[in-house]
Amino acid sequence: MKTHDTQRNVRASHEGTHEGSTEALRLAVIVASTREGRFAPTVAAWFLRRTADRHDLAVDVIDLAEARLPDGLSGRPGPEVSEVAARLDAADAFVVITPEYNHSYPASLKTAIDWHYAQWRAKPVGFVSYGGLSGGLRAVEHLRQVYAELHAVTVRDTVSFHGPRSCFDASGEPLDPAGPEAAAKTMLDQLTWWARTLRDGKTVRPYAA
């Protein structure tokens, strides 16, 4: 999924938001799966189309399959870690696109989370999940606990695809688009409310972790 150059800051030039502010929120979309044959590019491409008309967002896609973060954690992060850290630090909010593997989320995502700490703090996180009968919701519930430990705020509403390979047509569009599109709008509306509120709050009083 070649997103690093084509999607990074793709809407940074847009100004104006739903609430009248002149500064767009910086949204980092994290594509969690690195597995061979992954379905993540289809889900991610669909979600990015949902953000395309949101002039309140400047989107940066962090595809962990391209980031290639080291599995071994150390006190000496290399250039791959430093680059991702800078992009996470610049973000006002995050959306994690994750499958469900064995009732939880991918190890690649846990590695990305654990390489960083302050970058997540006092920022909101939304989820787009997929997989099996649960639609990836068990992975999301595990992630809520992890992000709470990092002082991040997870938004209530999510987007989930149950049996995802049977949910999309050959062009990458959902066979029944109304439900997912409504869910994406609700999640993004909640996410942007939290992102703006937390960002504005931190300008008045820095968050004390």
Side-chain angles (χ1 to χ4, degrees), residues 18-19 54 56 184-194:
H18 297 165
E19 298 178 357
R54 300 279 307 217
D56 53 348
K185 182 182 185 306
T186 297
M187 184 267 284
L188 285 170
D189 286 347
Q190 292 176 7
L191 189 76
T192 54
W193 186 92
W194 276 106

Side-chain angles (χ1 to χ4, degrees), residues 30-110:
I30 301 167
V31 183
S33 176
T34 61
R35 179 176 287 185
E36 183 178 355
R38 63 191 181 146
F39 196 65
T42 298
V43 179
W46 170 83
F47 179 72
L48 291 171
R49 289 193 292 275
R50 306 286 74 75
T51 66
D53 60 353
R54 300 279 307 217
H55 300 319
D56 53 348
L57 296 174
V59 178
D60 178 17
V61 181
I62 302 175
D63 188 343
L64 297 185
E66 296 178 6
R68 299 190 179 279
L69 297 173
D71 294 331
L73 303 176
S74 73
R76 300 175 301 280
E80 298 86 357
V81 176
S82 297
E83 180 188 359
V84 171
R87 294 166 71 183
L88 295 177
D89 193 52
D92 298 304
F94 309 100
V95 168
V96 176
I97 300 177
T98 183
E100 181 178 310
Y101 295 161
N102 300 317
H103 285 214
S104 194
Y105 54 91
S108 53
L109 179 55
K110 189 61 162 66

Side-chain angles (χ1 to χ4, degrees), residues 36-40 42 130-131 161-169 175:
E36 183 178 355
R38 63 191 181 146
F39 196 65
T42 298
Y130 59 96
F161 292 99
H162 306 255
R165 292 183 187 274
S166 63
C167 291
F168 287 80
D169 63 22
L175 297 173

Side-chain angles (χ1 to χ4, degrees), residues 87-168:
R87 294 166 71 183
L88 295 177
D89 193 52
D92 298 304
F94 309 100
V95 168
V96 176
I97 300 177
T98 183
E100 181 178 310
Y101 295 161
N102 300 317
H103 285 214
S104 194
Y105 54 91
S108 53
L109 179 55
K110 189 61 162 66
T111 297
I113 291 171
D114 288 350
W115 266 116
H116 307 94
Y117 183 72
Q119 291 84 358
W120 310 108
R121 188 181 299 162
K123 297 177 183 179
V125 185
F127 300 102
V128 177
S129 66
Y130 59 96
L133 293 176
S134 76
L137 292 175
R138 289 175 292 209
V140 170
E141 291 309 306
H142 287 185
L143 284 165
R144 291 188 190 281
Q145 299 176 64
V146 174
Y147 277 112
E149 177 65 18
L150 297 169
H151 298 259
V153 177
T154 60
V155 302
R156 179 192 182 277
D157 286 80
T158 66
V159 183
S160 61
F161 292 99
H162 306 255
R165 292 183 187 274
S166 63
C167 291
F168 287 80

